[in-house]
Structure formats: structure tokens, C-alpha cells
Amino acid sequence: MSLSRYILRRLALTAITLLGVIIAVFLMARVLPGDPVTVKAGQYATPEIKEQLRIQMGLDKPLPQQLATYIGNVLQGDLGQSTRSGHTVREDIGQRLPVTLELALASLIVAGGIGIPLGIYAALHHGSKRDAGIQQLAIFSAATPVFWLGLVLIYLFYARWNIAPAPVGQLSTNVEPPRTITHLLLVDSLLTLNWTTFKDAAGHLILPVITLSVVVMSPFIKMARTSMLNVLGSDYITAARSLGLSDREIIRQDALKNVMVQLLTVSGIVLGYLLAGNVLVETIFAWPGLGFYAWNALTGSDYDAIQGFVLVVAVIYVFLNFFVDLAYTLIDPRIRLA
Amino acid sequence: MTEMHRPLLAIEHLSIGFPNERDGTMHPVVRDSSFVVNRNEVVGLVGESGSGKTQTAMSVLRLTKPPGQVLHGRILLDGDDILQMNDIQLRQVRGNRAAMIFQSPRTSLNPLMTIGNQVGRIYTRQRGMKKKDAGDATLEMLRRVGIAGPARVAASYPHQLSGGMAQRVMIAMMLACDPELLIADEPTTGLDVTIQAQIFELIQEIQQETHMALLLITHDLGVIAEVCQRVVVMQLGRIVEIAPVDTLFADPVHPYTRRLVGSILRPDLEVLPAAARGNDFPPVVLEVGGDRYQAVSVDSWRSVNVGRPEMVEVAPGHQVLAHAVDAPSEAVA
Amino acid sequence: MEQERNNRSAELTQALNSRGLTRRNLLAAFAASTAMIALKEGASAAPYSAQQVRALAQETGAAAKLVIANGQDLDEADPHYFKSIPSYYLMANAYDNLFGHPYVEQEDGGLTPEVDENDDWVLEPWLVESWETSEDEKVLTFHLREGLTFQDGSPLTAQDVKATFDRGVSPTSVYSNLVFNLMTITSPDQIAAPDDLTVVLTLEQPTAFAYKILATNVFNIMSAAALEEHATEDDPTAHQWFSKNTFGSAAYTLTKWTPGVEWELSLNENFWNKDAVLNGGVLNRTIPSPQERLSLLVNGDVDIAFDLLPKDLSELASNPDIAVLDFEIPWPQYLGMNNRIPPFDNVDVRRAVSHAIPYQTIIDQVMYGYAKPLKSPCAEGMPTSDPSFWAYDGGPERAREILEGLGLSDFSFDIAVRNGFPTHEQIAVWIQSSMMEAGANVNILKMTDAEYLEKFNSGALQSWVGEWYSWINDPIYHLNFNFHSAATATNGAGYSNPQVDELIDAAMYEPDKETRDQMSRDIQQIIVDEAPWGLLYQINYVVATRANVSGFQYNPDTTSKYWLVSKS
Amino acid sequence: MSAEPILAVDNLEQRFKTPGGLVYAVNGVTFQVAAGESVGLVGESGSGKSTIAKSIVRLGEPTGGSIVYRGQDITHLGDNQMRSLRSKLQMVFQDPTLSLNPRLSVRQTLSEPLRLHKIANGKADLDAHLNRLMDLVNLERNLLDRRPGQLSGGQRQRVGIARAIATEPDFIVLDEPTSSLDMSIRISIIELLRNLQQEMGLAYLFISHDLSTVRYLCSRVIVLYLGTIVEEGTVEEIFSAPKHPYTQALLSAVPIPDPALRSSRNRIVLPGETPHLTHPIVGCPLADRCPYVEPSHREGRIPMVSVGPGDHRVACLLYQDGSGAGATAPDASEAA
Amino acid sequence: MAASIPTTPHANAGGESWSNDWVQLELVDPDAAETGYGRKRNALAILGFIALGLVLLMAILGPELAPYNPNKPDPAVTLQGPSREHLMGTDQYGRDVFSRVLHAARLDLRVAISITAVALIVGTLVGGLIGFYGGVLEHVVMRIIDVILAFPGFVLALGIAAMLGNSTRNVIIAVAIAYIPYYVRLVRSEMLALREQEYAAAAKVVGVRKIRILLYHLLPNALPIALAQATLTLGWGILDAAGLSFLGVGIRPPTPEWGVLVGEGAQYINSGQWWISVFPGLAILIAVLGFNLVGDWARDRFGPR
């Protein structure tokens, strides 16, 4: 199969999945306990007011028609309106996505930056004490409840030693946010040479990034170690050894690229998790990102916001998968031409 | 020329162990094995699956995969003990003085690297060539191993090659190393009969051309008979018999060897070999008492506690593994 | 105290559902309140009662920006539609009303509304200079101040008032139109602006609450020109624009609003009373976690923090950098028991639970003293509040006796609490513990807003931790909403007693204060006896500020005019 | 060959759809097997021999042609109709490690066909049958309760054979039954198969890439290349006087272990590789590798011609004149 | 496969069982040496068994060992740090944290096992069916699985838990649904391989019906891989269930459950009352650690090679 046909096929599958996702999200909101009208109308609303709202929100129409309207709206980028913020969900999510992205990328870089070398190191010293130690680290990191770790870090570094800034958001109140360029505070403050802001933003990032990266480090360590071991145990490494290539050359020329192919998948999964799944950490650190938004929407029964969040997260996830697959295909010639 | 008397490769009392997964005890897969390969000699190492022949071959280039390890013994390449070498010395042996062809050529090539790069890097590394020269040399070498479109093959990835083609590439890589000793580990397993013939023809041709020593590992006695001068037979980690090829086929001593030779199916003969009739063979050991040899089934032998088996020379250049006993017990096979 | 905020938002909607109010009721209530209005009539000299505060601040030349930590975000900025508590604050600071309140300073430095001898909060004229009430009390005439301006400098005239009220009364403005109906204004015809400075409201019935209601935020004055300018074909009332922007006449304008993060009030350069402003603007941060609001306050990152947890407040009291302002207000918190469904359809079960509630433990362990015992549905501070009918000191032992007497020695019920209301949850746990001693099993059901609201509305909650705060400090108004059987939307307990209904209806029209007060006490007696609510406590409105902050006032509709707040 | 054929394969065709396009695996194969006869089907990987085997036992469905078993066309028979025939039409698979369910004991594996086809009734009867089967394949009865993992390769294949003969079939497809076994075990399995054939009057279709084993077991040989039959004849004819250049190359490629005979062999090494069957075969399938190829060999369909007194036939244009040995035809008989 | 015979990887590579005899014979050989390899794996497994044993002990004996009633508030001792009377301190209601942690073990274990069982059974059956029969059903199910997998697991569980309302049963369902797709995929692809296995073909040739081939021959062989996955789900299940409870959409407070306990203590962390959250969190850590390590060990020992 040619590459372009492969991509087209994958895209078609992705489109089907996305349609399914939209329908699932639509149905989810119908099943959530409580009634969106009640939430909008408030505790003491009369039936008349609610009926009026119901018509206004189009909820009196038959379900398939509502679904059609919903799909139409979603395709036009209209995700509805948040009852809590009063803004369109699109605006809200647009604002929070970069916030989450900053935390996610930072954690990914830290976790990958530490986890991958550790995993590779462990594989290279397979069976040694150091290998065992690194494996233990990975096992502990995978077993740590992320919400608990966040709390412990806050207790130690903020409440007890007062080293870290208050675990509230991205910046201290008295610090001006930088001019928006990339929407990433750290990058923007660096680009605008705003050191105070940079330091403050970095300070706020430290604890949540540690929390997240400890937890997502495990897959990096494990995957790097396993795939490195697999590669090292593979016939072509033995063959390369038999040719007199040094370990360094072999690792650089033969092993790393093969390991990276595996790690790409892990990175995709981890990034997806970080972008979408860190509801817990964002809640604990009041990090004004997607997860925190979703959490507030969920407890506040902000239906459009929940729908919007779930949808956006699923779309990100699906596309991340798609791009990981694509990158995989581009790197590994076996898949490309299989 | 005293050097001529020294064998190119001498394996002395080699034992290789793999740990038991449960308790970590080392389990020998090769034990107390000794044999030599002389210059310009083709030696066959034969045995059925699990006999330890591949592990023996791997250990020669110190390629035993951890957690397996050489427990004991020496591997002398032209007098230098490979097991005692440091990394730098070792790298000068590998791909230079000795090289190896592996069982599955397609998995022995890096799937993410083009053939041209994989062959070319031998030239840049071992011969210190410039990249461009290495490229030219690569094409030349591919042509030499009988690859029709060397440029196209050089640009392809391993998965795009057939098994036979991949094995030709492996051979090209070995040739690029220009070794004194070539170890070929089942180089035609998994290939079609007609392709096998091609590959053997190529290997033989190259051996005759370069006069390198060849250690050929195979389970196929037919191949041994066609290619080798001397044969080493392994069974369950032990070398049980070493003999010149003609002697081995004409006059095998060890019961295992006899059974192997006896079970050869020949397309030119209609009758089944008599030695092989009946049921599956029970494991058998050889007892030697005085000058009498006796095959004994393991079951009956086990009850008699005997010392370790040793290689006994039954004729010049013909050795066999036997357990020394006072007097051979009753025959079984 | 996080929970307060949400429930206060309910206060607005509660007013809208005045199905229990009849015209006759309103007439009676109006009669009762005229005396209070009369007190301040014609007095229009200074808009501020807290002159000394202003003087102090002006001396120090403080014009610093205030930073405030809120638990919730704004929902919207349109006075006729908003629901959330932060939006109350926004309205109070971006828009003006015809009337306001004077304040007195309390010991801890907070300014509290002045009350009269009847515990009624005193009104003072704000945008109006003077007003008249017609003989039949149906025609209210207001004379506006001269020189009032909107934020763009354009004059604020009677036409703006009419345009605003016309909009508010129109049926599209769902909430405000109901409030107008409360004061028997149902059509724009009843609102007139004969000249630039005169507004005439013609009521269908003399209405007791008319003036009081005019001081609440739904009656903010908007600009006729702005309403016209931002109207579109789809949106003739310009709701779209006003839901995100303010255009008022008060000290601030909303200049920035990042949902979920912060919103900022910047000084209105054209404020008609600019000299009175004591700070340089207000940045409101939205910080949902009470712990984090606390941290920010303690570290000096914010000047004022709302809705801190009682435990944290109690610890702050000893912090010299922090001032804890404690306003005692008539705000009852209760355990609602659904009188319509078992086991609470049995009055004795309700009494038993009332005995079992560990009142003091809750006040100590949950509220850390920022509350006091509640012995009547009309809390202390509400006119005619009478604690003498209270009879539930029996504790779990008495409860067990009653339950065993009923043959109900082993039964269970659910208490619903809403997500994000930690104190409610704690209260439920203490009640659970006490009920265990009384031999009953309690399940605590934590619910999302939607589930909770839907079940509340459909009368499906068995019991719940609730609270009710009446904007208008009048016992009949208060009792009507909560205990009149016709007030179905607000009487969540589904309490129904014909005698109480009759008394409430009668009290609404009763012109004689003595008689009316007695009726209020009679109702209280019946309700305490029949125990539709477990009277948990009355909560204090507590705000923590940095010690250098002064001038924070408590307004009866639970807002504060920030321009009176300064920081040294 | 005079006997009524137990199996007749006529013009069998099999095409597969793959991501890389159509694969022409079997292209018009016709042969017959008589009752009690043992026919060898020889070819390298990709010659279509396994595909043919699968079609015969209805593990695959051919895209063309027919398979007739005892006069009944079974080419497109449904699962249920086929089930009753299965007791007579059996198969032994290549690798017993794969073809025996690792979770089932020998007893369970062997009981299944006995129960299914109601051959054994009751426990005692079943045990008797099982014991007899074990005896037939020379396995100790105490192995009945072992699982495949606890058996040696030879023992496993014996179990595979026992399963195939459990229902007393009259036709068995043997799909390379010895190729996964160590050399020392192969012979005993072949011996067993031969004995069983004699005892039970079985007909075999023996599929193999290994000419040596074919010789011991079969009376007739069919040589396949790229899904077409290139030569067929008796064992004697094929081994002593192979006609088709491919057959000759195949035979000569087998290593001869006897050093004495090695020198006498005329080794033929075919150049190039087995091509992929992505196009319909036109002309001689061996054209690209054949040393005797002529342009005319690349056209049309090559017919089978008789080259001997019996049924020795070959699909090669070199023997087109019918004489049995064309002028240019190689004679490799000295290889034997 | 063949987990039943003790083999070394090499001695049995040819599958000849008698080769074992030979090796046993030769084991008297002094060459056979002891090394440390395998010890470390065992050390980790022992750590895992200790951790799991601890949790099991808590689950079985917890209620007996607990010194106090876990749900009985005591206004006299609220928010007290760890002491001799209260090993892990008390919470805001004066309940004994130690007793609550002990009582929670049984519930958490039950939740983890239930989640795993539901996901395992449903996922294996569905995956087995669609993998074996293929066709339209397979396409439809796989598209549904794609849709489910489009949502990050925890978000999905969060959504479902919110939809169903918080009860123990619903938490189990929510988390299990998030894990089912992994089993479906795993067992399906295993089944795709298994149905091509020669022993499936052999069974067909013998005349076995399709459904019996699936249930009797193939599914049992797909189980080891599913069970290997299950050992992971046990640990993740606890983490997810606790995470949901921490957020308040899981098990209802004040039911003692570790996630609930951490959540209850969260609001006291900043003011220094760390013990309410820290100890239950440690319990989660130990339990998950135990499951993961023992799972690793079991996969090594019994899992598919």
C-alpha cells in the first residue's frame, strides 16, 4: 500500500471515529444526571421559566434532530455556551488549552528527559544493581497516586518549608503576564526577556511538573528499557557486534533509532494523557487548564462545557494517535511499504 | 613456519551457562568442549536443535548474550585468548580477523538502515575509507556476491529483500571484513532448496578463493558431507565425536553419531536406513572399558554412578566422548 | 463558607417565584414598610455615611488597586439576567440604584448597614434626591439628582431609568420581570418619565416592598442610548453585549474578564461621585479552592478573600496582618426534611431529628464559632425573631426515645449535600454520627448541582442541608417563601399547614404592626413545633482582609461597594 | 492407477487478495489419487502445495476448479455437510507443536474425534479405542495424560498421526509431517506412516519440499512450481530420469552425505529467486531461471506431455516432440 | 503456552523431553554455578508479596485490628496528629485515621478485583467473539472500541462515573468500561493469531464445530495474555477508583475508602494536618506496588512467553 493511500485510509478511519465520538459525547450529555435546563434556571425556577428555556435551548425537539443540530454546530466549531463563565465553550477551551499544553509539554520533557536515559542506561547495564534500582524507581513511580503525590509535595514545599509559591495557577498575582506570542507563559516571557515573569512562571510550574513527571516517567523508563533490551537482544545488534562495531557506535547507529520508534508511541500516549488526563493535578494545583475546567464543569453541571471538553480531548487524542502513527510510518520503512 | 602448526582457532574446555529463570543457578548449555579449526580448513559443527552448537559459535566472537556467560575454558584465536581480551582488542578481532554469518539473515540486518549503509560502514570503520569510496566498494562487493542490481539493493531496506538476497548481503558484509576465520551458523536454514544450493556454492567459492578458515554450523549432515573436511558432532552441550568427514560417515563410533549418520535419508536410495528403524531413540551414552566401547541407555546407566566423560582418541584425528568404566555393562542399542 | 455564595444566588431566583405572594400580601407589606421609608425621606445630603473612612483614606492618598480572591466566577454582566454572587458584586460596583444604605462601623472595622429600632435596615436615597408617595400609595414619584453621568460622560436621565425598567419588565427578561411583578408593575405603561429628572411608577396595588426592592441589583440603571446602540435584530434587548460588558454610572467599569481566572474593575473616569472613590480599581481573581484563597491572603497576594473555611478563619484571627470582619446577619441554615415523603411525613420523626442534631458541635467543629444557635426560622436580627418556642435540647437520647416510641428503632434516611460545599458535608457527617446514637442510619449523598437541583425541584430529596437568606428583612416575606404551601418552588420541605397559610396571608395585609408581629410569632411557634426544618444555626457573613484594608461594608443584598474600600 | 480414484482434483485454481494485489497461488492443477495409493506433492515454498492441501480438507475454498472425493464434489461443501465426511478425509499437520492444542492432554485431543463421530461410546469403549490408537502409533499408554509440552517432538507428531487415524479414514493429507523434526526422528515417523498405510489401506497425499522423504513413502510424485504441475510420474521415473529442468535442479540440489558418491553428481544450480506470483503465469513458469529457455517458452500455456511408457508426464517444451527426450533436453539421469 | 514443564530455555529448545533427563544427569557437574541473576527479580517479587500480604491482611483482619469505630466522630479529638492513641492521627471529625485506613482496605481490594473481573470477562468474551468470527460485527465493535479509546481512560471513567452517580457499583462499572477496550483489543488480536493456529485447523479437520473451537480450543489459550493484563488492571483499577473518589465522583464519603480519605484530608494539607491524606495515600501506594510487582512476577512465571 502506498503511503498516501495509507494516510487516506487512516484519515477515513479517524473521521469515522470522530463522528462516533461526537455522537457519544452528545448522548453522554443526555444521560448525565440532572437536567441542563434546571441548572440554567436555578434552584427555584418555575416550570414556565424552565419550559421557556427548554424551547430556547432546542431541547423540546426530537433527539435525532437535536443530534443533527449538535453535529452541525460542532462542525462549525460551535461548542455551545458555558453556564458558569457565560463565554462560549470554544473561547473557554481555546484559553485553557495552551495553559494545559505548557504544563503537559514541560512534564513530557522532564519525564522523557529523565526517564528515557534512565531506561536506556538500565538496559545497557542489564541485570546489574543499577538496573534493578532503576526498575524499582519505575515501579514505584507507576504505583504512586498522582493526587496524593501532589498533596505531599504541596505540604512539604509550600506549607512546611515555604520554598514553592502558593499552589495557585500559573503566576503570582503581582506578576504581569507577558505579551502573548505563543500562549505559553514560559516561552513568551523568555521571548519578551521578562525575567521576573519567567522566574515566577517557572516557579509555579515546578511542583505540578514534578508531580506529573514522576507519574509518567514510569512508561518512559519501562519502554526505553524494554525496547532497548529488545533491540540489544536482536539479531542485527549481535551481527553488528560481530562486525567489530563498538557499543557506542551500535547504540548510536543501530539501537537508538529503533528505540525511538517505540518511544514515539509512548510519548504520544503520555502527551495525550497529560493534555487530557491530568484533571487531578490541575485540580490540586488550581492550574487553570483544561482538566481543571472540566472538573469545575462537571461539579457545576456545566453541560456544554463538559461536552466541549470531552469532545476536544477526544479529538486531540485521536489526532495525536493519528500523527504518532504517521510519524511511525515515516520513520520505520517496514510499515511504510508493508 | 611454526605458525602453521598452531591452529587458527582452538577452543579448550569451553563451558557456557545460562541461568535458570527460577533460582538463578547457572545451567550449562555447552560443557567442557574442545576442538580446533586450522587455517584454510572447513570444519563442520553438527548437532540437532538444543545441542549447543550455536552457543559455541557465538562464544568464539564473545557474542554470548547475557545473561548467558562463558563459565570456563579458553578460546584461542591464533594463540590469543578471546575471552581475556579488552573491548578494543576484541573489536580488532571481530569483523577483522574473524567474522560470522547468522542463521536468519533478514533479522540480522538493521531494519531501519539501508543495505548500502550497513555494508558501507564496514569499509569506513574497518578499512578507514571515505564515505564515497566505501559506497563504491559496497557496490562492488554486492556485485561480487552475485547480486544483480547492486545499486538498487544498496538503497533498499532489509524487509524488501528475499531471504536468499539478504544472506548474500550478509556474506558481502563478511567479505568486506576479509577475515581469517568465518563462522557460518546455519546459513541456509529457512531457504528454499534451490536457493540453498546457490548460497553453498557461493560460500564454497569464496572459501576456495580467499583460503579463509570456515566453521560451518548445521544440523544437516548432507551439507557437512558436501562442504567440510572435518566434523565436530555435538549432543546436548557435549562434543561427542570429532573426525575427518570421510571417517565420520564411514566409521562413526559414538552411538549418537552412528544414529545421526544412520538416519540420513538419501534421495538416491529407496530403502530406509536400517539403523533408524523402530521407535524414537532413547538417549544413549558411550562407555569405554579397556578398548571396548559400549552404548548404554541413559536409564540403565544412570543407576551406575560413573565419572565424567572424556574425549578418547580412537584413531589419529578421530576422538570420541566416552565414560570410563571398569568393564562395559550390557549393551542396549 | 463557600456554600453561602451559591445559595445567595438562589435568593434572586427565589424572589422571582413569588407565587405565594398575592396583591393583598404586597399591600400589607408595603404598609408596614412605609414607616421606615419615611424616616429617610427627603434626606439627600451626602451619599456616604462613612465619611471618616473616606477622609482617612484621602489623607493617605491611597489609590492602590485592590486584589480580591473570589471562589466563583461571574456568570454574566447583565443586571436583568445575572445569577452568580460575584455578578452581584459587579453590578453593585458598575451600576447605580435609586436607593442605597447607610452604614455604621462595627468593632472589627467592618461597616454594617444601619438598622432601626425594629431591626429593619435603613434606606437612603442614592440616584434620587427626593421622592413622594401618593395618598393611595400607588404612585411613586422620584426626582433624580442633577449631573449624573454614565461612564462615557453622557447624562443619566429619567429616560434611562424608564428604558431600563421597560426592559426589566418585558417578558423576555425572565428574572427581572418577575421582580417587577412583585411590586405590581407588569407593563411599561406603569413607568413614566415626564421630564429628564422625574420618574413616576404607578403600582397596581400599594406595595410594601417597593422601596426595598429598588435598592437591589435587579434595579440597576442602564443607559438607554447604550441599550439602543448594542441592540441587534436578533437581540433587540442587547443582552448579548451586556452579558459581557458593563455600561453604568457607578465607580467602575468591567475592563477585563478572563473566565475562570480573573475580572477587573477599572475606575470610571466619568463617575459622577468621583471624589468618593478610595482606591485605584479592583482586580478580582477567581480561586475556587478556599485553601488557596487563604494562602494568597496570608502571603499578601490578595487584599480581600471571600468564603474562607471557618477553620482557617479561626486560625487567621490571631494573625496580626489579617482582619477578620464578622457580620452578624439573619441568615438561617437548616436541615431540610421533606414533609411529603417518609419518614419525614411524620412530625414526630422530624422532632426526633431536631433533638438529635448536635447543634453546638456543629457550631464549634464545623463553623468554628462563626455562627450562632438558631432557635426560630426567623433568625436573630430579623424583626420579631422569637427564640422562646425552641424545645429541642433532648439530644440523641431523646431522639431514640421518640423513635422507639414510634416503633422506628431502626430506620435510615439520606442527607443530600452539593459538590463543593465542604461545610455541608461536615454538617451531614456530624448529624450522621448523632443519628447513629439515636439508632438511625444516615446516608450522605453528595450530588452535582444538576442532580441536586433537579431532585430539589421535583421534591425528591429526602433531606438536605440548606440555607435561606431573605433580601428583604421581613419575617412574613421570609416565612411566606419557605413555609406557605402555595410557594411550591421555594418551600422545598413541602411543608403544608392551613393554619400557617392563613396566618401568612393575613399578615401580609395587616396594617397594624402589633397584630402583624404577633402573627409572625404565632407562625414561628407552629413551625418550630412542627419542625419542617432542623434549625442548624445562623451563619455569620465573614470576610477576611489584610489588616491595612479599611472600609469594607456589608450590604443587605450581600454585596459591598468597593470604592469605599481603601488600602493604606 | 487403474483403480477408481478416491480423490480427483481438477483444474484447481486459487487466488488470494492481499494488500499487494492478487496472488496467483494455484493455477490449474489436475491430479488424482487412487485408494490405498500414496502420492507425493513436491515443491518449494510458494509452489502452492499447502494451499492445495488445505483446499482438499476444506480449510480453504478454491477460486476455481473442483475437488471430488469418492465421486462427491466437495469443493464448496458447507461446514455441516462436510462434517460427516471428515471422519474419512483427514490431515496430519506440519508442526505438531502448533497443531496440538497445548492445553489439552493427549487423551483429550484424541477423544475429541472419537466422540464427535460417535466412534467410541461410553468410557470403557473410549479407553479401549485410545489404547488401541496409542499402540498403533507406538506410543506408551501412560503418555495419554501428558500435555504436548511434556512430549518430545517425535511423540507429538505421533499424537498428531493418531488423531488423524482415530476415525479410521481412507484418505490422509500429510502436510510435511517430518520437516519440523530432528533428523534422527524423521525416519521412525516415516516408518510409522508406511506401516499404517499398509495396515489400514490408507491413501496419502504427501506434501513435502524434501525429495528424500518422498522417495520412501510414495509411489507417485507430482512436482509443483509456482502453482503449476511441471512433472509427474512414478518415484522411479522421477528420481532416476527427471525430465523437467526444475525437477533436475531440485534433485541435484539435495546434498549427498556419502562422500563417495559426491563427485559423480552433476550439480545444477538454478540462478535467481522464486518470483512472486503477482501475475498470471504465461508460458513456462521457470522461464526466468531455466538454462535452456527460448523465447517461444514464454508464451501460451505449456501442456503436459507424456515422456515415458507409464504416466511420466512433463510440462516442458523441450519434450514437445513426444519422443521422450528432445535434442536439447538435458539428461540428468547420471545423477542417480 | 506450555507453562507446565520446568525447562531451561536452551536445553528444551528442541522440545525433546528426554533432553531434560540428560541435563539432570549432568547437573552433578561442578560446572553448574550459582550466580546472582534472578535474585533481584525475586527480591522485587518478595517485596511485592510483602506489600500485597500487608494489604490482604488489612482487608481480612482490618475491622478486627481497628482500635476505633472508623465512622464514629469524636468532637473531643478533632485534627490530632499521630500519637500513641491514634497511630495515624485523627481527622476533622475526630475519627481515627488508622482505623479508617484499615477499614478501607477491604473495599479497595474489592473494587480493584471487581473492576478487573468485569473488564477481564467482558473484554475477553467480546474480543474472543469478534476476533474469531470477524465480519461486520467485528468492524462495528472495533469502531465502537475506537470511539471509547478516543477518550483518555481517566476522563472516560470520570464521565461515566458522573453519569451514573456515585456509588461503589458505579465506580466499578465506570473504571471497568475504561479498561474493557484494552482487553477486547488484546484478546481480539490474540484470537486473530490463535484462529490461524494449526491446532484450530486440526480441530476443524477433525470435525469440531466452530463454537466449540472458540470456547474449548482457543479462548483458554487466549486467557494467559488476558490474565497478564489483569494483573496490571488490579493496580491501575485501585488508582483510578481512588482518583475518582478523591475528586468526589467515586465512592461516597464518608465511606472509608483510600481515595476518599486522601480527598478528605486534602483541604487540611496547607494548614499542616498532613496525616489525614498521607497515610491513606501510602496505603494506595503499597497496594498498587504489591499488585504491580506480584503481577510482574506472575507474568514472568506464568505468562505467555
Side-chain angles (χ1 to χ4, degrees), chain E residues 55 136 292:
Chain E
V55 174
V136 181
N292 286 358

Side-chain angles (χ1 to χ4, degrees), chain E residues 267-279:
Chain E
Q267 44 180 315
Y268 296 92
I269 275 277
N270 277 4
S271 45
Q273 284 93 1
W274 53 271
W275 53 88
I276 312 175
S277 281
V278 166
F279 290 115

